[in-house]
Amino acid sequence: MPVPVLLVTGFLGAGKTTVVNHLLAHAGGRRIAAVVNDFGAINIDAELIAGASDGVVSLADGCICCSLEGDLLRTLATLLRRDPRPEYIVIETSGVADPADIVRNLMDPVILREAPLETVLCVIDAGTPPSRLDDALLRSQLRVADIVALSKLDLAEEGAAGRMREAIRALRVPAVVVEANHGEIPSALLFPATADRAPAPREPGPKRPAEERFETLSWISDHPISLPRLQQAIGRLAPKLARAKGLFETVEQPGRQMVFQFAGGRATLAPGEAPPAGVPRTRIVFIAELGVLSQAELDRIMEACVAGG
């Protein structure tokens, strides 16, 4: 029986991981396999979703989460050989990936027969200025979408969601636009009513040359960091960052990991689990446009966050 695929796309920091988290936490008895496509050398996204970083992680209700290592089609083939087989597969793309290329890969005849692409979901921060829709990558993500989900509504200004709806409508995007409060989207919009209904192949659009636009810089330390110093560091780095995310232990709360996220000019901290044994206390990924931030500058700024540094 075919296993329908949900492709979750969206720009850096749009809220894709929150959507995937919600799907996994509210599986409703469905066996969902989530494939996380990290952008960066540190597997932060998989840890935020599953609390682990090695291969496939079993979750509640028979769901699993796995990191995308290497070829997407090979990863899907591995999932399809699992026993029991997943009932649905969710693929979270990188925020800098053109989903048209991924859709094209999923049109492979073998994969199409076993794991047909059911829905493409594009997640957009509702607070994004409508002028950002001029971005070629964001337009590509919108173009292939069946559903557009407006996220972070609680952080957006009043009327922002309505303005974004109008801007999307002006682009004549055929997708259905919904609001995703805290990542919640009705599953009926995302998954087929009957598991044996295979969707028709779709046309991903003309292939465009890949453009290297972003780069990832990582900072790792075996020492806990000072929260006030981190706030100062992020204040200095913020104008150059597209995204940052990480896990670290603080001087103020030793023995406890904090989950750090920075997107759209906003930084958030949340308590995490106890740090696993044998891993550095601090692991943060920074994403910036090419040439904007050097590793030397990043190291210099972040090393000041270490107590006594």
Side-chain angles (χ1 to χ4, degrees), residues 20 24 32-38 43-59 62-80 82 86 88-93:
V20 175
L24 293 174
I32 300 175
V35 180
V36 182
N37 189 346
D38 287 333
N43 197 15
I44 295 291
D45 281 336
E47 291 191 32
L48 293 179
I49 290 176
S53 59
D54 295 328
V56 176
V57 179
S58 297
L59 303 176
C63 296
I64 61 173
C65 182
C66 72
S67 57
L68 175 57
E69 298 177 354
D71 183 71
L72 171 62
L73 301 186
R74 186 167 63 248
T75 300
L76 290 177
T78 300
L79 288 176
L80 293 170
R82 288 183 63 86
Y88 304 97
I89 296 174
V90 179
I91 302 172
E92 179 191 353
T93 71

Side-chain angles (χ1 to χ4, degrees), residues 19-307:
V19 170
V20 175
N21 265 321
H22 192 277
L23 285 171
L24 293 174
H26 301 83
R30 297 183 295 262
R31 291 193 306 276
I32 300 175
V35 180
V36 182
N37 189 346
D38 287 333
F39 181 77
I42 303 172
N43 197 15
I44 295 291
D45 281 336
E47 291 191 32
L48 293 179
I49 290 176
S53 59
D54 295 328
V56 176
V57 179
S58 297
L59 303 176
D61 299 325
C63 296
I64 61 173
C65 182
C66 72
S67 57
L68 175 57
E69 298 177 354
D71 183 71
L72 171 62
L73 301 186
R74 186 167 63 248
T75 300
L76 290 177
T78 300
L79 288 176
L80 293 170
R81 288 195 299 268
R82 288 183 63 86
D83 186 19
R85 205 180 201 197
E87 295 175 294
Y88 304 97
I89 296 174
V90 179
I91 302 172
E92 179 191 353
T93 71
S94 159
V96 294
D98 187 338
D101 295 332
I102 300 172
V103 169
R104 192 174 293 105
N105 283 331
L106 293 174
M107 291 302 104
D108 177 277
V110 175
I111 293 297
L112 186 63
R113 183 174 64 250
E114 296 291 324
L117 179 59
E118 173 71 27
T119 305
V120 179
L121 170 68
C122 178
V123 183
I124 293 184
D125 184 338
T128 302
S131 60
R132 284 287 300 277
L133 297 188
D134 290 336
D135 185 277
L137 177 58
L138 188 47
R139 285 203 177 198
S140 179
Q141 292 169 345
L142 284 168
R143 244 193 318 266
V144 299
D146 303 300
I147 309 288
V148 174
L150 302 182
S151 66
K152 304 186 180 181
L153 297 162
D154 55 324
L155 301 176
E157 295 178 358
E158 185 177 353
R163 290 191 292 273
M164 179 55 69
R165 282 179 179 271
E166 291 298 322
I168 294 172
R169 186 176 297 116
L171 293 177
R172 300 187 182 278
V173 173
V176 175
V177 181
V178 300
E179 295 184 354
N181 288 299
H182 307 293
E184 182 178 359
I185 302 171
S187 60
L189 291 175
L190 306 178
F191 299 116
T194 57
D196 58 353
R197 181 181 65 80
R202 64 177 73 206
E203 173 51 53
K207 184 172 177 62
R208 289 174 295 282
E211 179 184 355
E212 291 296 329
R213 177 176 169 184
F214 296 91
E215 62 181 335
T216 296
L217 304 169
S218 301
W219 189 70
I220 300 174
S221 175
D222 286 321
H223 303 285
I225 61 177
S226 161
L227 270 181
R229 294 187 184 191
L230 175 65
Q231 290 172 334
Q232 294 175 358
I234 296 304
R236 294 175 62 186
L237 291 168
K240 299 184 177 183
L241 294 178
R243 185 85 161 89
K245 46 190 173 179
L247 300 164
F248 56 80
E249 183 181 344
T250 66
V251 174
E252 292 78 10
Q253 296 187 26
R256 185 178 189 181
Q257 250 184 348
M258 300 295 290
V259 179
F260 167 70
Q261 298 267 11
F262 176 86
R266 296 188 293 260
T268 61
L269 280 176
E273 303 294 328
V279 300
R281 290 183 174 183
T282 298
R283 294 160 289 156
I284 307 179
V285 168
F286 299 86
I287 303 173
E289 296 211 22
L290 282 170
V292 169
L293 179 65
S294 70
Q295 186 69 53
E297 180 184 6
L298 176 65
D299 290 343
R300 185 172 63 253
I301 292 174
M302 292 303 299
E303 282 165 9
C305 297
V306 177

